[in-house]
Protein backbone atom coordinates (compact mmCIF):
# COMPACT_ATOMS: atom_id res chain seq x y z
CA UNK A 1 0.00 0.00 0.00
CA UNK A 2 1.38 3.40 -0.93
CA UNK A 3 1.78 6.34 1.44
CA UNK A 4 -0.93 8.09 -0.54
CA UNK A 5 -3.35 5.25 0.19
CA UNK A 6 -2.64 5.58 3.91
CA UNK A 7 -2.85 9.35 4.00
CA UNK A 8 -6.54 9.41 4.79
CA UNK A 9 -6.05 7.43 7.98
CA UNK A 10 -3.94 10.10 9.56
CA UNK A 11 -6.39 12.73 8.40
CA UNK A 12 -9.22 10.77 9.99
CA UNK A 13 -7.43 10.65 13.32
CA UNK A 14 -6.79 14.39 13.32
CA UNK A 15 -10.27 15.57 12.32
CA UNK A 16 -12.68 13.73 14.60
CA UNK A 17 -15.86 15.06 12.94
CA UNK A 18 -18.18 12.70 14.79
CA UNK A 19 -18.78 14.05 18.26
CA UNK A 20 -17.89 12.21 21.45
CA UNK A 21 -20.10 11.22 24.36
CA UNK A 22 -22.63 9.11 22.47
CA UNK A 23 -24.80 6.54 24.28
CA UNK A 24 -23.28 3.73 22.18
CA UNK A 25 -21.80 0.69 23.95
CA UNK A 26 -18.15 0.85 25.04
CA UNK A 27 -15.93 -1.03 22.63
CA UNK A 28 -18.41 -0.90 19.72
CA UNK A 29 -16.58 -1.88 16.53
CA UNK A 30 -19.25 -0.22 14.41
CA UNK A 31 -18.79 3.14 16.09
CA UNK A 32 -15.01 2.84 15.76
CA UNK A 33 -15.40 2.39 12.00
CA UNK A 34 -17.98 5.17 11.72
CA UNK A 35 -15.56 7.66 13.29
CA UNK A 36 -13.03 6.83 10.57
CA UNK A 37 -15.61 6.82 7.77
CA UNK A 38 -17.17 10.15 8.73
CA UNK A 39 -13.81 11.88 8.83
CA UNK A 40 -13.17 10.79 5.25
CA UNK A 41 -16.60 11.41 3.72
CA UNK A 42 -16.90 14.75 5.55
CA UNK A 43 -19.96 16.69 6.60
CA UNK A 44 -21.19 17.43 3.06
CA UNK A 45 -23.24 14.30 3.43
CA UNK A 46 -26.76 13.29 4.37
CA UNK A 47 -26.65 10.16 6.50
CA UNK A 48 -29.82 8.10 6.01
CA UNK A 49 -29.88 5.92 9.09
CA UNK A 50 -32.03 2.80 9.19
CA UNK A 51 -33.27 1.73 12.62
CA UNK A 52 -30.59 -0.21 14.48
CA UNK A 53 -27.79 0.29 16.99
CA UNK A 54 -26.88 3.66 15.44
CA UNK A 55 -30.37 4.84 16.38
CA UNK A 56 -28.64 5.71 19.63
CA UNK A 57 -26.92 8.54 17.76
CA UNK A 58 -30.26 10.24 17.21
CA UNK A 59 -31.07 11.63 20.63
CA UNK A 60 -31.63 15.30 19.75
CA UNK A 61 -30.08 17.71 20.53
CA UNK A 62 -27.14 15.51 21.38
CA UNK A 63 -26.60 13.89 17.97
CA UNK A 64 -22.87 13.74 17.24
CA UNK A 65 -23.37 14.42 13.50
CA UNK A 66 -22.45 18.02 12.62
CA UNK A 67 -23.90 17.41 9.13
CA UNK A 68 -27.32 16.25 7.98
CA UNK A 69 -28.93 13.08 9.28
CA UNK A 70 -32.25 11.38 8.41
CA UNK A 71 -33.81 8.52 10.31
CA UNK A 72 -35.86 5.80 8.55
CA UNK A 73 -37.45 2.45 9.26
CA UNK A 74 -35.27 -0.63 8.76
CA UNK A 75 -36.51 -1.56 5.32
CA UNK A 76 -36.48 1.77 3.53
CA UNK A 77 -33.14 3.53 3.99
CA UNK A 78 -32.24 3.20 0.26
CA UNK A 79 -35.63 4.71 -0.62
CA UNK A 80 -34.84 7.55 1.78
CA UNK A 81 -31.50 8.06 0.04
CA UNK A 82 -33.33 8.19 -3.31
CA UNK A 83 -35.58 10.93 -1.93
CA UNK A 84 -32.59 12.90 -0.69
CA UNK A 85 -30.83 12.56 -4.04
CA UNK A 86 -33.96 13.62 -5.94
CA UNK A 87 -34.49 16.63 -3.69
CA UNK A 88 -30.89 17.75 -4.11
CA UNK A 89 -31.15 17.35 -7.89
CA UNK A 90 -34.28 19.53 -7.95
CA UNK A 91 -32.58 22.21 -5.87
CA UNK A 92 -29.55 22.11 -8.18
CA UNK A 93 -31.75 22.35 -11.30
CA UNK A 94 -33.60 25.37 -9.88
CA UNK A 95 -30.37 27.04 -8.84
CA UNK A 96 -31.40 27.12 -5.20
CA UNK A 97 -28.11 25.45 -4.26
CA UNK A 98 -24.82 25.59 -6.11
CA UNK A 99 -22.88 22.49 -7.22
CA UNK A 100 -20.36 23.04 -4.43
CA UNK A 101 -23.24 22.77 -1.97
CA UNK A 102 -24.30 19.36 -3.23
CA UNK A 103 -24.20 16.52 -0.72
CA UNK A 104 -23.69 12.76 -0.86
CA UNK A 105 -26.48 10.48 0.42
CA UNK A 106 -24.94 7.87 2.72
CA UNK A 107 -27.06 4.95 3.91
CA UNK A 108 -26.07 3.68 7.36
CA UNK A 109 -27.54 0.34 8.44
CA UNK A 110 -26.86 -2.68 10.56
CA UNK A 111 -26.88 -6.21 9.23
CA UNK A 112 -30.52 -6.81 10.17
CA UNK A 113 -31.52 -4.23 7.60
CA UNK A 114 -28.76 -4.74 5.05
CA UNK A 115 -28.96 -8.54 4.86
CA UNK A 116 -32.72 -8.88 5.42
CA UNK A 117 -35.48 -6.31 5.69
CA UNK A 118 -33.83 -3.67 3.52
CA UNK A 119 -32.43 -5.96 0.85
CA UNK A 120 -35.35 -5.54 -1.57
CA UNK A 121 -35.16 -1.74 -1.44
CA UNK A 122 -31.38 -1.93 -1.80
CA UNK A 123 -31.61 -4.17 -4.86
CA UNK A 124 -34.05 -1.76 -6.48
CA UNK A 125 -31.81 1.22 -5.72
CA UNK A 126 -28.84 -0.53 -7.34
CA UNK A 127 -30.98 -1.37 -10.37
CA UNK A 128 -31.86 2.32 -10.71
CA UNK A 129 -28.18 3.22 -10.52
CA UNK A 130 -28.73 5.47 -7.51
CA UNK A 131 -25.63 7.52 -6.75
CA UNK A 132 -25.13 6.71 -3.08
CA UNK A 133 -22.75 5.18 -0.58
CA UNK A 134 -24.08 2.33 1.55
CA UNK A 135 -22.37 1.59 4.88
CA UNK A 136 -23.30 -1.62 6.73
CA UNK A 137 -21.90 -2.15 10.23
CA UNK A 138 -22.21 -5.91 10.53
CA UNK A 139 -22.38 -7.06 14.16
CA UNK A 140 -23.96 -10.34 13.08
CA UNK A 141 -27.25 -9.95 14.94
CA UNK A 142 -30.05 -7.60 15.91
CA UNK A 143 -27.82 -5.85 18.43
CA UNK A 144 -30.15 -3.00 19.32
CA UNK A 145 -32.88 -5.31 20.60
CA UNK A 146 -30.90 -7.93 22.50
CA UNK A 147 -28.86 -9.64 19.77
CA UNK A 148 -31.37 -11.98 18.18
CA UNK A 149 -29.99 -13.87 15.18
CA UNK A 150 -30.05 -12.22 11.76
CA UNK A 151 -29.18 -13.42 8.26
CA UNK A 152 -25.62 -12.33 9.05
CA UNK A 153 -25.20 -14.52 12.14
CA UNK A 154 -22.42 -17.09 11.66
CA UNK A 155 -23.03 -20.80 12.09
CA UNK A 156 -22.66 -22.02 15.66
CA UNK A 157 -23.04 -18.62 17.36
CA UNK A 158 -25.42 -18.51 20.30
CA UNK A 159 -27.88 -15.60 20.16
CA UNK A 160 -30.99 -14.57 22.10
CA UNK A 161 -33.17 -16.55 19.68
CA UNK A 162 -30.96 -19.39 18.47
CA UNK A 163 -30.83 -22.91 19.91
CA UNK A 164 -28.63 -23.63 22.90
CA UNK A 165 -26.12 -25.30 20.57
CA UNK A 166 -25.90 -22.17 18.45
CA UNK A 167 -27.28 -20.77 15.21
CA UNK A 168 -27.99 -23.57 12.74
CA UNK A 169 -28.03 -21.35 9.65
CA UNK A 170 -25.25 -20.00 7.45
CA UNK A 171 -24.20 -16.35 7.21
CA UNK A 172 -25.59 -14.82 4.04
CA UNK A 173 -22.98 -13.60 1.53
CA UNK A 174 -23.96 -9.95 1.10
CA UNK A 175 -20.75 -9.16 -0.77
CA UNK A 176 -21.70 -11.69 -3.47
CA UNK A 177 -25.31 -10.48 -3.61
CA UNK A 178 -24.22 -6.89 -4.16
CA UNK A 179 -21.55 -7.90 -6.69
CA UNK A 180 -24.13 -9.86 -8.69
CA UNK A 181 -25.92 -6.55 -9.30
CA UNK A 182 -22.81 -5.16 -11.04
CA UNK A 183 -22.67 -1.95 -8.94
CA UNK A 184 -19.86 0.58 -9.07
CA UNK A 185 -18.02 -0.77 -6.03
CA UNK A 186 -18.27 -3.30 -3.18
CA UNK A 187 -15.76 -3.81 -0.39
CA UNK A 188 -15.41 -5.50 2.97
CA UNK A 189 -13.53 -3.70 5.74
CA UNK A 190 -13.07 -3.48 9.49
CA UNK A 191 -12.19 -0.56 11.74
CA UNK A 192 -9.20 -2.37 13.21
CA UNK A 193 -7.52 -2.24 9.77
CA UNK A 194 -7.80 1.53 9.27
CA UNK A 195 -5.40 1.88 6.34
CA UNK A 196 -7.31 -0.74 4.35
CA UNK A 197 -10.63 0.88 5.26
CA UNK A 198 -9.38 4.35 4.33
CA UNK A 199 -8.07 3.24 0.95
CA UNK A 200 -11.33 1.52 0.06
CA UNK A 201 -13.44 4.45 1.16
CA UNK A 202 -11.34 6.87 -0.85
CA UNK A 203 -11.75 4.62 -3.88
CA UNK A 204 -15.52 4.44 -3.33
CA UNK A 205 -15.71 8.23 -3.06
CA UNK A 206 -13.88 8.59 -6.36
CA UNK A 207 -16.67 6.70 -8.14
CA UNK A 208 -20.36 7.36 -8.70
CA UNK A 209 -23.32 5.02 -8.56
CA UNK A 210 -24.18 2.39 -5.95
CA UNK A 211 -21.26 1.63 -3.61
CA UNK A 212 -21.15 -0.66 -0.57
CA UNK A 213 -18.70 -0.70 2.32
CA UNK A 214 -19.45 -3.79 4.43
CA UNK A 215 -17.76 -3.37 7.81
CA UNK A 216 -17.46 -6.15 10.38
CA UNK A 217 -18.37 -4.63 13.77
CA UNK A 218 -17.19 -6.61 16.82
CA UNK A 219 -19.96 -6.24 19.44
CA UNK A 220 -18.96 -6.65 23.11
CA UNK A 221 -22.51 -7.05 24.41
CA UNK A 222 -23.79 -9.37 21.68
CA UNK A 223 -20.63 -11.42 21.16
CA UNK A 224 -19.71 -11.60 24.83
CA UNK A 225 -16.21 -10.14 25.23
CA UNK A 226 -14.63 -7.36 27.25
CA UNK A 227 -14.76 -4.00 25.39
CA UNK A 228 -10.99 -3.59 25.84
CA UNK A 229 -10.45 -6.64 23.58
CA UNK A 230 -12.34 -5.21 20.60
CA UNK A 231 -9.21 -4.37 18.59
CA UNK A 232 -7.62 -7.75 19.34
CA UNK A 233 -10.77 -9.53 18.20
CA UNK A 234 -11.08 -7.46 15.05
CA UNK A 235 -7.51 -8.23 14.04
CA UNK A 236 -8.07 -11.94 14.71
CA UNK A 237 -11.10 -11.89 12.40
CA UNK A 238 -8.70 -10.99 9.58
CA UNK A 239 -5.73 -13.12 10.66
CA UNK A 240 -7.85 -16.28 10.96
CA UNK A 241 -9.38 -15.64 7.53
CA UNK A 242 -12.93 -15.54 8.90
CA UNK A 243 -13.39 -11.98 7.59
CA UNK A 244 -11.73 -11.73 4.16
CA UNK A 245 -10.76 -8.21 3.15
CA UNK A 246 -11.66 -7.79 -0.51
CA UNK A 247 -13.21 -5.47 -3.07
CA UNK A 248 -15.21 -5.66 -6.27
CA UNK A 249 -14.97 -3.24 -9.16
CA UNK A 250 -15.18 -3.51 -12.95
CA UNK A 251 -16.48 -7.07 -12.70
CA UNK A 252 -13.44 -8.31 -10.76
CA UNK A 253 -12.98 -9.40 -7.14
CA UNK A 254 -9.59 -8.71 -5.54
CA UNK A 255 -8.42 -9.59 -2.04
CA UNK A 256 -6.63 -6.70 -0.37
CA UNK A 257 -5.08 -8.86 2.35
CA UNK A 258 -4.27 -12.56 2.10
CA UNK A 259 -3.10 -13.89 5.50
CA UNK A 260 0.21 -15.65 4.84
CA UNK A 261 -0.16 -17.96 7.82
CA UNK A 262 -3.72 -18.01 9.01
CA UNK A 263 -4.29 -18.46 12.71
CA UNK A 264 -6.69 -21.23 13.80
CA UNK A 265 -10.31 -20.09 13.94
CA UNK A 266 -10.43 -21.24 17.57
CA UNK A 267 -8.15 -18.29 18.45
CA UNK A 268 -11.02 -16.03 17.38
CA UNK A 269 -13.97 -18.10 18.61
CA UNK A 270 -12.76 -18.87 22.12
CA UNK A 271 -12.59 -15.18 23.06
CA UNK A 272 -16.35 -14.80 22.57
CA UNK A 273 -19.13 -15.84 24.89
CA UNK A 274 -21.44 -16.63 21.97
CA UNK A 275 -19.16 -19.58 21.06
CA UNK A 276 -18.35 -20.66 24.63
CA UNK A 277 -20.62 -23.73 24.36
CA UNK A 278 -18.28 -25.09 21.67
CA UNK A 279 -15.43 -25.29 24.20
CA UNK A 280 -17.09 -26.17 27.54
CA UNK A 281 -18.20 -28.19 29.38
CA UNK A 282 -17.26 -30.52 26.51
CA UNK A 283 -15.22 -29.43 23.50
CA UNK A 284 -17.33 -29.85 20.34
CA UNK A 285 -14.53 -31.06 18.10
CA UNK A 286 -16.81 -31.92 15.19
CA UNK A 287 -18.34 -28.45 14.99
CA UNK A 288 -15.03 -26.65 15.49
CA UNK A 289 -13.47 -28.77 12.76
CA UNK A 290 -16.36 -27.98 10.45
CA UNK A 291 -15.97 -24.24 11.08
CA UNK A 292 -12.24 -24.44 10.36
CA UNK A 293 -12.95 -26.39 7.18
CA UNK A 294 -15.35 -23.70 5.92
CA UNK A 295 -12.62 -21.10 6.23
CA UNK A 296 -9.97 -23.37 4.67
CA UNK A 297 -12.25 -24.17 1.75
CA UNK A 298 -12.75 -20.49 1.04
CA UNK A 299 -9.04 -19.66 1.03
CA UNK A 300 -8.01 -22.79 -0.86
CA UNK A 301 -9.06 -21.04 -4.06
CA UNK A 302 -7.46 -17.75 -3.08
CA UNK A 303 -4.02 -18.58 -1.68
Amino acid sequence: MSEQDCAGTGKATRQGLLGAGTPMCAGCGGLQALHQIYDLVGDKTVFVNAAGCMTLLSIYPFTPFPGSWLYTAMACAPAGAQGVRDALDVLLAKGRIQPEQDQLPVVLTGDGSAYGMGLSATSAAIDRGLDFLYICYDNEGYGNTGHQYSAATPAGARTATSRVDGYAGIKKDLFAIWSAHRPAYVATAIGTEPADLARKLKKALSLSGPRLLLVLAPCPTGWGFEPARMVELGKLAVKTGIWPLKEYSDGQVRHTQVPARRKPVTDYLQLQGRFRHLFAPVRDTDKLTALQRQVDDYWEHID
Side-chain angles (χ1 to χ4, degrees), residues 14 22 28 32 51 56 63 71 97 106 144 146 164-165 195 205 213 224 228 246 266 271 287-288 297:
R14 290 194 299 273
T22 75
C28 172
Q32 179 205 34
L56 294 172
T63 175
Y71 185 59
I97 62 172
V106 180
N144 192 40
V164 294
D165 60 344
L205 293 173
L213 194 63
K246 55 188 176 180
T266 50
L271 296 181
K287 188 162 288 184
L288 291 171
D297 288 347

Side-chain angles (χ1 to χ4, degrees), residues 25 53 110-112 137-154 157-163 167 171 216-225 268 272-275:
C25 300
C53 289
D111 51 279
Y137 55 96
D138 182 357
N139 61 18
E140 302 184 324
Y142 286 94
N144 192 40
T145 52
H147 215 80
Q148 298 85 4
Y149 72 77
S150 75
T153 298
R158 184 176 287 175
T159 72
T161 46
S162 60
R163 305 182 316 195
Y167 181 56
K171 185 181 177 80
L216 186 66
C219 172
T221 54
W223 296 12
F225 63 87
Y268 173 76
Q272 304 173 52
R274 61 178 178 161
F275 293 111

Side-chain angles (χ1 to χ4, degrees), residues 71-276:
Y71 185 59
T72 74
M74 291 187 71
C76 59
Q82 180 74 66
V84 169
R85 184 64 267 159
D86 290 348
L88 289 167
D89 288 343
V90 169
L91 293 173
L92 286 166
K94 291 185 175 181
R96 294 179 60 183
I97 62 172
Q98 300 305 309
E100 60 271 19
Q101 295 176 294
D102 194 14
Q103 300 193 37
L104 173 68
V106 180
V107 166
L108 178 64
T109 79
D111 51 279
S113 177
Y115 284 74
M117 287 186 231
L119 190 52
S120 176
T122 304
S123 177
I126 301 172
D127 286 345
R128 294 193 300 272
L130 177 62
D131 184 17
F132 75 136
L133 178 63
Y134 191 116
I135 307 294
C136 173
Y137 55 96
D138 182 357
N139 61 18
E140 302 184 324
Y142 286 94
N144 192 40
T145 52
H147 215 80
Q148 298 85 4
Y149 72 77
S150 75
T153 298
R158 184 176 287 175
T159 72
T161 46
S162 60
R163 305 182 316 195
V164 294
D165 60 344
Y167 181 56
I170 298 174
K171 185 181 177 80
K172 190 183 289 184
D173 190 346
L174 190 64
F175 181 94
I177 293 170
W178 260 77
S179 299
H181 286 74
R182 299 289 189 266
Y185 187 67
V186 184
T188 60
I190 187 167
T192 53
E193 298 292 339
D196 181 79
L197 187 153
R199 189 192 63 78
K200 289 170 175 171
L201 189 57
K202 290 171 69 176
K203 183 171 182 177
L205 293 173
S206 72
L207 303 171
S208 60
R211 291 152 283 169
L212 167 69
L213 194 63
L214 179 57
V215 182
L216 186 66
C219 172
T221 54
W223 296 12
F225 63 87
E226 288 297 319
R229 307 195 77 166
M230 183 266 286
V231 172
E232 176 187 6
L233 203 60
K235 289 187 173 297
L236 278 172
V238 176
K239 290 179 179 178
T240 58
I242 282 180
W243 187 249
L245 295 175
K246 55 188 176 180
E247 61 186 355
Y248 163 92
S249 63
D250 298 325
Q252 301 294 320
V253 175
R254 186 177 73 89
H255 285 76
T256 56
Q257 283 192 32
V258 178
R261 293 182 179 179
R262 294 192 306 278
K263 291 181 174 293
V265 295
T266 50
D267 287 7
Y268 173 76
L269 302 177
Q270 65 188 0
L271 296 181
Q272 304 173 52
R274 61 178 178 161
F275 293 111
R276 188 168 298 135

Side-chain angles (χ1 to χ4, degrees), residues 11-44:
K11 182 181 178 183
T13 303
R14 290 194 299 273
Q15 286 190 340
L17 282 179
L18 194 71
T22 75
M24 297 289 289
C25 300
C28 172
L31 185 61
Q32 179 205 34
L34 182 61
H35 274 285
Q36 299 170 34
I37 291 167
Y38 198 32
D39 283 343
L40 290 173
V41 297
D43 57 3
K44 288 181 66 175

